[in-house]
């Protein structure tokens, strides 16, 4: 029991909190962070979903376009974190209310839980493929559970070490990516890949590819302010995160599409979103790097899930260790649900439906209604300008619900030729702007005083123009 108490006390002293943080990272440093974060097998395998559903050229074009669109939202949300010093979920207090923030926080925990399951399964399938090749033993569920147990332990004991090791794993992934590109294009020409006949009967289309790529960016945007609040300026945020995220996503997804095309051109079966086929095609070193990169990213996902939960309410935190044990136990049990891998595109649809409206509301609220300035009240547990009625902004919550419903309708009931993500974003953006225009604040635009400075100086109002605002 004393060991538990000592560990709990240590974690309470060292875990991240939702208070404002003054960033110091330059654009190159932030770019490397995003490069390391997104050079993972989940992004690579997402690219395998597109071929042969659409032509290779179409897939690559949609990957580029969708990534750039998603990067705009990601960096705009990240910039709010840079200018205020707050993580993404803490920022939702301003638009959804001090208590209304529980809705996006709950959605975030569920989504990170799903990501944790997916990554544990991918690590388990990868290990299983390697073990099966050498011993003949096969039990992907067992290996998925083992991987998730390790991840939970790392999230509790070793998340700081993982964050330091992850850039080196990114270097290893770059080497693997270069090797796969070299192997793929020395065996077959670019014309060979372009000649792969599309198979529309698989249910893929250019608009669906675009939606999936943008949804991938949305899934990362839930952490964008968490990461980008470490940037020292808005310039560092837009250049570093924009280039780092876009480069890693375009390269990783394109590689996934080409790697699957390579397997197909060899005449082998090429099931999408299955790392075992790439282990077979490119060998054990690929499996080792995949395993390590997935474990590192999954550790940070579990850690982010726990910190989102414990910091949901301003001024009153749950204990990190018991929360980690409960959520970790759920993640271990969920990692046995291997059928989720077959529903990965549906999982991305859910992410989009839940968070596209959240970010549309956040961008309207900060950049238009609040004129790029949040007050110190956002740090309060109750009262202040973000209390609304009883802690809830009913307009934001209703618009969010309508946006989520519209996203699902545009996907399953009335599919649109441009996909669901962009129409949902536009609808939510305009609806929230129209319903909230009457409370638009007036005053000097862009006067955000960094909240770390406001807290440090005891300022009563962070809306006062700062002679040297962040960015």
């Amino acid at each position: 029991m004393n060991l538990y108490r000592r560990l709990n006390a240590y974690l309470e002293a060292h875990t991240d909190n939702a208070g404002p943080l003054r960033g110091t990272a330059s654009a190159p440093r932030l770019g490397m962070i995003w490069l390391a974060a997104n050079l993972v097998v989940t992004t690579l395998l997402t690219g395998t979903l597109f071929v042969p559903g659409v032509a290779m050229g179409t897939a690559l074009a949609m990957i580029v376009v969708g990534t750039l669109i998603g990067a705009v939202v990601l960096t705009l949300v990240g910039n709010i974190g840079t200018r205020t010093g707050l993580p993404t979920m803490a920022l939702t207090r301003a638009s959804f209310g001090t208590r209304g923030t529980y809705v996006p926080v709950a959605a975030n925990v569920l989504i990170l839980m799903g990501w944790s399951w997916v990554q544990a399964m991918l690590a388990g399938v990868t290990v299983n493929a390697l073990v099966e090749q050498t011993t003949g033993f096969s039990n992907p569920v067992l290996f998925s559970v083992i991987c998730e147990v390790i991840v939970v332990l790392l999230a509790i004991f070793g998340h700081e070490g993982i964050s330091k090791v992850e850039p080196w794993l990114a270097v290893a992934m770059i080497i693997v990516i270069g090797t796969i590109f070299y192997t793929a294009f020395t065996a077959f020409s670019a014309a060979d890949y372009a000649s792969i006949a599309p198979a529309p009967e698989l249910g893929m289309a250019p608009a669906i590819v675009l939606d999936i790529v943008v949804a991938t960016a949305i899934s990362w945007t839930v952490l964008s302010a968490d990461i980008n609040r470490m940037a020292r300026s808005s310039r560092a945020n837009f250049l570093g995160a924009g280039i780092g995220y876009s480069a890693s996503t375009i390269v990783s997804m394109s590689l996934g599409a080409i790697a699957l095309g390579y397997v197909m051109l060899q005449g082998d079966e090429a099931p999408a979103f299955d790392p075992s086929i790439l282990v077979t095609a490119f060998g054990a070193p690929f499996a080792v790097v995949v395993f390590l990169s997935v474990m590192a990213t999954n550790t940070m996902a579990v850690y982010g899930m726990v910190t989102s939960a414990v910091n949901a309410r301003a001024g009153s935190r749950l204990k990190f260790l018991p929360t980690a044990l409960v959520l970790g136990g759920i993640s271990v049990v969920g990692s046995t649900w291997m059928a989720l891998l077959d529903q990965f595109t549906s999982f991305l649809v859910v992410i989009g439906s839940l968070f596209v409206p959240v970010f549309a509301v956040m961008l309207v609220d900060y950049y238009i209604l609040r004129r790029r300035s949040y007050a110190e009240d956002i740090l309060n547990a109750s009262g202040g300008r973000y209390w609304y009625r009883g802690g809830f902004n009913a307009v934001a919550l209703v618009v969010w619900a309508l946006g989520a419903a519209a996203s699902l309708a545009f996907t399953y009931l009335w599919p649109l030729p441009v996909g669901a993500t962009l129409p949902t974003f536009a609808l939510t953006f305009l609806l929230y702007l129209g319903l909230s225009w009457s409370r638009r604040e007036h005053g000097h635009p862009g006067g955000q005083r960094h909240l770390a400075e406001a807290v440090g100086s005891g300022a009563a109002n962070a809306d006062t123009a700062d002679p040297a605002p962040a960015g």
Side-chain angles (χ1 to χ4, degrees):
M1 191 63 178
N2 287 335
L3 176 62
Y4 177 91
R5 289 175 178 172
R6 288 199 298 269
L7 178 59
N8 186 59
Y10 174 83
L11 291 171
E12 289 300 304
H14 290 83
T15 51
D16 294 336
N17 61 62
L21 170 71
R22 166 58 85 177
T24 59
S26 63
R29 172 58 180 157
L30 197 67
M32 285 302 299
I33 291 173
W34 277 103
L35 197 70
N38 207 31
L39 277 178
V40 291
V41 71
T42 45
T43 309
L44 187 154
L45 289 176
T46 300
T48 67
L49 297 169
F50 308 147
V51 176
V54 299
M56 182 67 74
T58 301
L60 298 180
M62 291 299 99
I63 287 171
V64 173
V65 173
T67 298
L68 296 179
I69 292 173
V72 171
V73 176
L74 184 145
T75 53
L76 283 173
V77 173
N79 186 52
I80 309 176
T82 301
R83 290 171 60 85
T84 62
L86 295 178
T88 311
M89 290 300 106
L91 290 170
T92 61
R93 297 173 194 156
S95 49
F96 286 86
T98 307
R99 289 175 173 168
T101 187
Y102 299 159
V103 174
V105 166
N108 186 42
V109 171
L110 291 175
I111 292 303
L112 288 176
M113 182 71 77
W115 272 119
S116 180
W117 293 346
V118 167
Q119 292 183 87
M121 295 167 198
L122 291 175
V125 169
T126 301
V127 172
N128 184 75
L130 197 59
V131 171
E132 188 175 15
Q133 283 182 8
T134 55
T135 69
F137 176 78
S138 177
N139 193 329
V141 174
L142 173 63
F143 290 120
S144 296
V145 169
I146 292 174
C147 290
E148 188 70 350
V149 169
I150 295 173
V151 161
V152 172
L153 293 176
L154 287 173
I156 295 174
F157 295 102
H159 63 275
E160 293 180 351
I162 288 295
S163 64
K164 295 175 182 177
V165 171
E166 195 163 25
W168 294 103
L169 293 177
V171 172
M173 282 296 291
I174 291 172
I175 295 172
V176 170
I177 285 172
T179 302
I180 295 176
F181 271 127
Y182 177 80
T183 302
F185 283 103
T186 52
F188 303 100
S189 68
D192 291 328
Y193 290 98
S195 67
I196 298 175
E201 65 273 11
L202 296 178
M204 193 60 63
I208 297 176
V209 175
L210 183 67
D211 255 12
I212 291 174
V213 177
V214 176
T216 300
I218 296 301
S219 72
W220 277 107
T221 303
V222 299
L223 298 174
S224 63
D226 302 53
I227 296 174
N228 291 9
R229 66 176 177 155
M230 295 186 288
R232 66 186 180 193
S233 67
S234 291
R235 175 184 171 86
N237 161 74
F238 286 113
L239 287 178
I243 294 174
Y245 173 80
S246 298
S248 59
T249 302
I250 291 170
V251 169
S252 295
M253 285 192 183
S254 298
L255 177 63
I258 290 168
L260 196 74
Y262 169 80
V263 174
M264 293 177 62
L265 290 172
Q266 284 188 315
D268 297 328
E269 289 189 16
F273 214 75
D274 184 354
S276 63
I277 63 169
L278 302 184
V279 173
T280 301
F282 299 103
F286 176 79
V288 172
V289 173
V290 165
F291 171 76
L292 292 176
S293 68
V294 168
M295 295 295 283
T297 304
N298 197 9
T299 296
M300 301 312 293
V302 171
Y303 179 74
M305 175 172 57
V306 177
T307 53
S308 290
V310 299
N311 290 307
R313 182 175 183 272
S316 177
R317 297 172 57 197
L318 296 172
K319 298 296 183 182
F320 184 91
L321 183 55
T323 305
L325 293 175
V326 171
L327 293 178
I330 296 172
S331 67
V332 170
V333 173
S335 66
T336 64
W337 183 30
M338 302 298 291
L340 181 60
L341 292 180
D342 297 326
Q343 301 297 324
F344 184 71
T345 54
S346 297
F347 175 59
L348 290 177
V349 167
V350 171
I351 293 176
S353 66
L354 290 177
F355 279 103
V356 167
V358 168
F359 298 133
V361 167
M362 288 179 67
L363 295 182
V364 169
D365 192 79
Y366 183 75
Y367 288 101
I368 300 178
L369 302 182
R370 305 291 185 179
R371 299 174 66 84
R372 294 182 296 151
S373 182
Y374 278 156
E376 188 182 347
D377 289 358
I378 198 172
L379 305 176
N380 296 341
S382 63
R385 67 185 66 190
Y386 308 119
W387 186 246
Y388 298 97
R389 286 182 177 270
F392 298 92
N393 181 4
V395 173
L397 292 169
V398 169
V399 169
W400 169 79
L402 292 174
S407 177
L408 294 174
F410 293 155
T411 301
Y412 296 111
L413 298 180
W414 309 294
L416 301 176
V418 294
T421 300
L422 298 180
T424 298
F425 184 90
L427 174 65
T428 309
F429 188 97
L430 295 174
L431 189 59
Y432 185 66
L433 179 62
L435 293 176
S436 304
W437 182 259
S438 61
R439 64 175 180 82
R440 182 172 182 260
E441 296 183 358
H442 302 282
H444 180 67
Q448 176 70 60
R449 182 176 188 179
H450 197 285
L451 295 181
E453 297 174 358
V455 172
S457 65
N461 191 338
D463 277 347
T464 304
D466 187 0

